Amino acid sequence: MPQSITRGIKALLDEANAEIKTLSAAEAIEAATRDDVVIVDIRDPREIEREGRIPGAFSCTRGMLEFWIDPQSPYAKPIFQQDRTFIFHCAGGLRSALAAKTAQDMGLKPVAHIGGGFAAWREAGGPVERWEPKKKD
């Protein structure tokens, strides 16, 4: 029997975008200069290796987000326990909208995401650096 999806991606994105703050790339570029802001890159490492990354961004794949945010999780990351603003981004702004909503629903605040994602950041002239994965010995 085929699956019957009752809430598709459009509905999820509409709900997320209604509840979270979306920054333009220009706003995010300016915010990234502040010490109280963490840019969170939720893209897959292969995307980051191929396209580059925002200098100083914290990399957290979408699949580990909830585990790294929750201080009770054995995988909790100290960066998410800090009193800072968290600005999420992905390649085009879809996954980051869902990630920002999830983070906000978990109690992380303040959060936002970059509308248009990394592509918009790059098109707006935001700095980009090359990234290479750690070599396994």
Side-chain angles (χ1 to χ4, degrees):
M1 172 195 292
Q3 296 292 326
S4 178
I5 302 300
T6 58
R7 284 178 58 223
I9 194 66
K10 182 175 180 342
L12 292 172
L13 286 166
D14 288 347
E15 291 169 16
N17 284 313
E19 295 182 29
I20 61 170
K21 183 174 185 175
T22 300
L23 299 177
S24 70
E27 291 170 320
I29 291 166
E30 189 279 319
T33 65
R34 298 193 340 241
D35 291 335
D36 66 332
V37 168
V38 175
I39 302 293
V40 182
D41 188 339
I42 64 163
R43 296 175 298 154
D44 181 274
R46 290 175 297 262
E47 292 176 274
I48 298 170
E49 184 177 4
R50 184 176 57 246
E51 303 293 328
R53 68 181 204 142
I54 295 171
F58 178 75
S59 182
C60 173
T61 60
R62 178 66 186 93
M64 290 304 294
L65 184 66
E66 293 87 344
F67 297 97
W68 287 11
I69 289 174
D70 183 355
Q72 301 304 312
S73 165
Y75 304 104
K77 296 292 183 187
I79 196 163
F80 287 116
Q81 312 316 311
Q82 298 176 11
D83 186 19
R84 298 171 80 179
T85 297
F86 297 89
I87 302 173
F88 294 85
H89 83 84
C90 61
L94 302 178
R95 291 173 288 172
S96 60
L98 299 177
K101 181 170 185 318
T102 296
Q104 184 170 283
D105 287 350
M106 290 180 73
L108 193 68
K109 59 184 176 184
V111 301
H113 91 113
I114 302 173
F118 185 73
W121 171 281
R122 189 176 46 226
E123 289 170 17
V128 174
E129 67 183 10
R130 296 292 315 149
W131 178 81
E132 293 187 24
K134 294 177 184 173
K135 303 275 191 240
K136 292 182 181 179
D137 297 327

